[in-house]
Amino acid sequence: MKRTIQGNIIDEIKSLPKTEMHRFIVDRAETKLNNGEITEENALDMCTTAILDYYQNKKQIAEDLNNNHKITIIDSIMGSGKSTFLIQLVNKNPQKKYIIVVPSIDEISRYRKDINRKSYAPFVYTDNITKEFANKTKCLQELIAEGKSPIIATHQLIYHLNQTTIDLLKKTDYELIIDECLQCVDIYRRKGFYRDDLRTLINSKDIIVDNDGFLIWQNKSEKYKSRYNDIKQLSELHSLMYLPNKKGGYSDNVLIWHFPIVFFSLFSKTYIATYLWGGSMQKCYFDMNKIDYLHMTISGKVPNQYLGVYSIHKELSKRQECFHMINLYTGKLNDIGTPDKINKRPLTDNWYKKSKKSDNQLNLKLLKSNTESYYKNFAKTKSEDNMWTTFKEYRVNVQGKGYTGKKGTDKSGNKIADSENKQKQCFVSCNAKGTNDFRHKKSLAYLINKYINPSYKQFFESHGATINEDLYALSELLQWIWRSQIRDGKPINLYLPSTRMRELLGKWALGKI
């Protein structure tokens, strides 16, 4: 059995890069301990000097490490001041050029408001979504070409990265700030593109597949134009991959969109602000592509924040403080989320799918009845103060009295203003991030047992990266909960019927995950 040297400071040191001196000393002591060369007491003696030196100089050590790494992950709990730290970073360095990538247009407005210099955002709106992003991309390119800074754009715009934008960034010296992880891997979906189309392209030798599963475009004709132009462009960006199957070959009906790896090499420095980095798909993307990064967190309080080495111990008291603000329902209405011989994984996407296909849909009717009962008999809050979620395709099957929310019109059929509509909206997407529209919500119902899409899991594992599914599920849950008034330090009510999700929340509060 492997023996380890334990302690809060020791755990921090173990989070340092392997090449760092203090980490090297601790690792060496543990190796000697496991080889039987020294006792546990001797191992601690070996580490004493390193521990003391690290404790006295950790702020400087963290700063030096940050300066020596191109990519720094800022992993810190919601409300700890990640965005404030990044805004201060931009304000303190007027000589540097920044591109800031945020989840939503609302967040663009927030950054622009708090940055103490003129900022730029590629705002272009049309009725056609494809044209809208084409115009925004052109606007982004013009801002980069002119060296404007800071440029603030959304995640969605960055997903439309093209070769011209890459070429422009190669000639500049921007630093990159990403607020919340990007979805660097996705299932490629395009209406009207089928497996036979892919076979046609391969048989015509317009496309070949390399050893890593990337689609490589072979047709070099400058005059090439067809309905496969987007396949051509994505292949040339090294952005389309086959999904490996369990037999060692490739799936013939699933393509994976893979964010261009080159993007992260185009910046002199990158900061990614998130929470529970270890459960993110972007971490898996970095791991499979062997992208080096430094794992840090926010230390200190506004305005004297600084970066420190990430450790669960640093935020344990904050976790417990937040957990105590959650009035978690623990009664009989949770039975529907308890595994049994028939339903081993209740409230998963597959459970919903089977329940909807069943003749009488008893499971969905019971879940709806439970949720109505929760809001009526336990939460007892107004509809406009309630917030709930499930998988989008089953929303209509579960929504009920007290938590359905408005549909954009009043009783007379008149359109409700956007601001009022958001106030009265109850359904909030389970993957909502970076929005403050629901920070007035008091009572919540999270009707999901979250697992990563099996195709993503299979994809990452086939490329040597492993997703921590529990940490992934917990991260999704916490991000959703923090859309509510808990982000302002106010208590909330929570109906979380999944036994697994409740256990994960409890482990999080105790620092066990």
Side-chain angles (χ1 to χ4, degrees):
M1 182 178 174
K2 187 176 179 181
R3 300 165 71 188
T4 59
I5 309 169
Q6 296 180 332
N8 291 2
I9 295 295
I10 289 285
D11 288 346
E12 268 192 51
I13 292 173
K14 287 179 182 178
S15 298
L16 296 169
K18 290 184 178 181
T19 53
E20 204 277 337
M21 177 190 70
H22 302 83
R23 167 77 183 271
F24 173 79
I25 292 170
V26 170
D27 285 351
R28 185 165 171 266
E30 270 196 352
T31 300
K32 285 180 172 288
L33 175 64
N34 278 287
N35 290 341
E37 299 174 40
I38 57 176
T39 65
E40 200 164 312
E41 188 176 350
N42 294 146
L44 284 169
D45 286 341
M46 279 184 68
C47 297
T48 299
T49 303
I51 291 169
L52 289 172
D53 182 73
Y54 173 76
Y55 187 77
Q56 291 170 359
N57 300 292
K58 61 181 185 176
K59 186 173 180 180
Q60 184 60 51
I61 291 166
E63 188 175 324
D64 291 343
L65 286 169
N66 181 45
N67 291 336
N68 290 324
H69 281 75
K70 281 192 71 173
I71 300 177
T72 295
I73 311 302
I74 305 176
D75 188 344
S76 197
I77 195 168
M78 288 75 67
S80 59
K82 296 186 295 291
S83 299
T84 301
F85 173 83
L86 294 171
I87 289 166
Q88 288 178 344
L89 180 73
V90 174
N91 287 337
K92 289 176 182 176
N93 295 280
Q95 77 285 4
K96 291 184 177 180
K97 294 193 295 185
Y98 292 96
I99 291 179
I100 304 169
V101 184
V102 297
S104 66
I105 290 175
D106 287 345
E107 284 293 283
I108 288 181
S109 301
R110 180 200 166 180
Y111 270 82
R112 296 188 80 181
K113 175 177 172 287
D114 293 338
I115 288 173
N116 296 333
R117 51 175 155 147
K118 186 176 180 181
S119 58
Y120 303 85
F123 283 124
V124 179
Y125 297 101
T126 70
D127 293 330
N128 183 301
I129 293 175
T130 305
K131 187 177 180 182
E132 176 185 329
F133 280 111
N135 289 341
K136 284 184 178 179
T137 297
K138 186 177 179 181
C139 182
L140 175 65
Q141 290 165 355
E142 290 172 353
L143 292 173
I144 293 170
E146 294 170 11
K148 302 296 186 183
S149 173
I151 301 170
I152 313 173
T154 61
H155 288 194
Q156 283 296 328
L157 181 56
I158 296 303
Y159 296 150
H160 288 76
L161 185 73
N162 62 25
Q163 191 60 50
T164 302
T165 310
I166 290 172
D167 291 341
L168 285 167
L169 286 170
K170 284 178 181 178
K171 299 176 181 179
T172 61
D173 187 29
Y174 279 95
E175 292 194 6
L176 175 66
I177 291 173
I178 300 176
D179 196 333
E180 298 298 347
C181 287
L182 296 174
Q183 181 160 342
C184 293
V185 167
D186 201 358
I187 295 171
Y188 174 73
R189 297 176 176 89
R190 196 193 85 173
K191 189 176 181 180
F193 185 79
Y194 306 102
R195 69 177 72 179
D196 288 341
D197 292 309
L198 191 56
R199 288 173 184 158
T200 297
L201 288 170
I202 291 173
N203 291 337
S204 66
K205 297 187 178 177
D206 286 323
I207 276 179
I208 62 169
V209 183
D210 72 7
N211 293 334
D212 294 320
F214 281 100
L215 271 60
I216 307 298
W217 191 262
Q218 293 293 98
N219 189 329
K220 303 301 180 183
S221 171
E222 293 182 6
K223 296 181 179 179
Y224 183 90
K225 283 187 179 181
S226 80
R227 67 190 186 93
Y228 302 126
N229 273 355
D230 57 336
I231 302 293
K232 174 179 181 290
Q233 290 167 5
L234 290 172
S235 299
E236 288 174 340
L237 281 172
H238 229 54
S239 283
L240 278 184
M241 299 183 74
Y242 264 120
L243 174 66
N245 59 34
K246 294 178 181 178
K247 296 179 181 179
Y250 295 106
S251 167
D252 65 352
N253 63 345
V254 179
L255 285 178
I256 298 293
W257 172 81
H258 178 276
F259 190 73
I261 306 168
V262 68
F263 180 74
F264 294 99
S265 68
L266 302 174
F267 302 91
S268 54
K269 178 71 183 178
T270 295
Y271 293 92
I272 301 173
T274 187
Y275 184 49
L276 297 181
W277 166 254
S280 70
M281 287 206 292
Q282 188 162 359
K283 178 188 181 296
C284 290
Y285 166 90
F286 274 16
D287 290 348
M288 71 172 277
N289 289 301
K290 297 178 172 55
I291 297 175
D292 184 43
Y293 58 85
L294 184 65
H295 193 186
M296 306 292 273
T297 191
I298 294 287
S299 295
K301 296 181 179 180
V302 178
N304 300 313
Q305 296 170 303
Y306 61 94
L307 292 182
V309 177
Y310 177 80
S311 170
I312 287 177
H313 301 290
K314 287 185 175 181
E315 64 178 41
L316 189 54
S317 61
K318 180 65 176 175
R319 288 187 180 193
Q320 291 169 348
E321 178 189 328
C322 292
F323 187 71
H324 288 145
M325 287 192 290
I326 301 173
N327 178 24
L328 185 62
Y329 174 82
T330 57
K332 288 269 187 184
L333 300 179
N334 285 334
D335 290 351
I336 194 168
T338 303
D340 55 34
K341 290 182 180 179
I342 298 174
N343 295 307
K344 294 182 179 179
R345 285 186 171 184
L347 302 178
T348 60
D349 181 69
N350 197 45
W351 178 90
Y352 274 94
K353 192 178 294 182
K354 288 181 178 178
S355 298
K356 188 175 180 180
K357 286 182 179 178
S358 65
D359 292 337
N360 45 27
Q361 297 185 4
L362 284 179
N363 282 334
L364 298 181
K365 289 176 181 177
L366 178 58
L367 182 59
K368 175 182 176 179
S369 174
N370 284 357
T371 310
E372 286 180 338
S373 178
Y374 168 73
Y375 281 118
K376 180 180 178 181
N377 300 316
F378 295 94
K380 297 180 180 178
T381 41
K382 296 177 182 178
S383 175
E384 62 192 47
D385 292 328
N386 298 335
M387 164 176 150
W388 73 289
T389 198
T390 185
F391 300 104
K392 189 176 180 181
E393 53 268 46
Y394 309 108
R395 172 182 174 179
V396 294
N397 302 100
V398 184
Q399 66 186 20
K401 293 178 181 178
Y403 61 96
T404 297
K406 300 294 180 181
K407 296 183 179 180
T409 57
D410 60 20
K411 290 181 180 179
S412 302
N414 299 315
K415 188 175 180 181
I416 297 172
D418 286 344
S419 57
E420 185 183 350
N421 197 31
K422 287 177 180 177
Q423 285 286 316
K424 296 181 182 296
Q425 183 178 331
C426 290
F427 182 83
V428 177
S429 173
C430 60
N431 58 5
K433 294 181 178 71
T435 176
N436 295 322
D437 291 337
F438 310 104
R439 66 192 310 159
H440 61 287
K441 299 294 185 179
K442 299 175 182 178
S443 296
L444 289 62
Y446 188 88
L447 310 180
I448 289 174
N449 182 8
K450 189 76 171 182
Y451 283 90
I452 194 168
N453 184 309
S455 293
Y456 297 142
K457 184 179 180 182
Q458 183 179 327
F459 175 77
F460 286 126
E461 288 180 349
S462 68
H463 290 281
T466 303
I467 186 82
N468 184 329
E469 285 204 85
D470 283 347
L471 208 54
Y472 169 79
L474 178 62
S475 174
E476 293 288 297
L477 169 65
L478 291 173
Q479 285 285 356
W480 186 82
I481 289 174
W482 252 260
R483 297 312 102 209
S484 71
Q485 69 174 17
I486 197 172
R487 67 186 298 110
D488 295 322
K490 297 177 183 178
I492 59 167
N493 303 308
L494 176 62
Y495 177 44
L496 188 60
S498 166
T499 299
R500 170 176 170 259
M501 299 303 289
R502 284 198 312 280
E503 288 175 349
L504 289 176
L505 187 61
K507 286 181 180 179
W508 170 79
L510 295 172
K512 293 183 177 180
I513 185 171

